[in-house]
Amino acid sequence: MGNFNRFYVYTFNPKRPQWTETTVKHIENLYSITALCWKPDGAKLVLGSLCGSVDVFEACMRKARYKGKFEFTYVSASQVIVKELATGTKVAIRSEYGCEIVKINIYQDRHVIAHTTETLLLGDLETNGLSEI
C-alpha cells in the first residue's frame, strides 16, 4: 500500500492468519501508486506512480551463500531462488504444498535437496526438474 511519500510493506503470518506491517519505505514524490506488478518468481516488485516514476524493489526474506558457489534468496517461507554465482543461472525451488523450506543442500554442483517441514524437494539445476515427495 502506498500514499504521498510512503510505501507500506506487510507480511502475512500463517501461524496467526493475519497481515502485519513490516516496514515503511520512504519514496519522495510517490503520490499515488497507479501500477503494481510482481516478477513471476516473486523476487521483485515494480511500482508505477502518478508522476510517471517506475521503481523496482527486491523482495526477499533473507539471502545466504552456500559453499561460495551458490546464493539462496528466500522469497517466501516456501520458495527459494538458487543462483549459481559463476554463471548467474537461477532456478526457483518452491513447495507446491506451501510448506516452509528449512534446509537446502546441493550435491555435485547440480542436485538440490531441500527439506521442508513436511516434504522433501528434489531438483536438478541443469534440467530445472523438481519433484516434491
Side-chain angles (χ1 to χ4, degrees):
M1 295 178 57
N3 67 1
F4 186 59
N5 65 351
R6 291 184 184 96
F7 178 72
Y8 297 89
V9 179
Y10 290 86
T11 303
F12 184 73
N13 184 346
K15 293 177 183 173
R16 294 184 287 168
Q18 67 181 16
W19 291 91
T20 55
E21 185 178 311
T22 307
T23 188
V24 177
K25 177 74 177 166
H26 292 276
I27 305 168
E28 290 302 316
N29 302 318
L30 177 66
Y31 297 108
S32 294
I33 295 173
T34 57
L36 178 75
C37 183
W38 283 98
K39 188 175 176 190
D41 64 9
K44 294 189 180 181
L45 175 68
V46 180
L47 300 175
S49 75
L50 182 66
C51 295
S53 68
V54 176
D55 296 300
V56 180
F57 298 94
E58 186 174 26
C60 69
M61 295 172 61
R62 67 181 167 117
K63 287 187 174 187
R65 293 267 171 123
Y66 183 81
K67 295 185 178 180
K69 295 181 180 180
F70 297 93
E71 180 180 72
F72 300 154
T73 303
Y74 289 78
V75 178
S76 70
S78 62
Q79 181 174 335
V80 178
I81 297 173
V82 178
K83 177 182 177 183
E84 188 175 359
L85 297 174
T87 62
T89 306
K90 295 180 182 181
V91 176
I93 306 296
R94 188 179 88 178
S95 171
E96 293 297 323
Y97 300 103
C99 299
E100 180 180 0
I101 296 172
V102 293
K103 184 178 179 184
I104 301 175
N105 287 318
I106 298 178
Y107 297 97
Q108 300 174 349
D109 293 340
R110 177 179 176 178
H111 305 287
V112 178
I113 308 294
H115 300 265
T116 71
T117 53
E118 298 177 21
T119 64
L120 189 67
L121 294 159
L122 309 168
D124 187 335
L125 295 175
E126 289 183 12
T127 63
N128 291 337
L130 182 66
S131 294
E132 185 170 16
I133 54 173

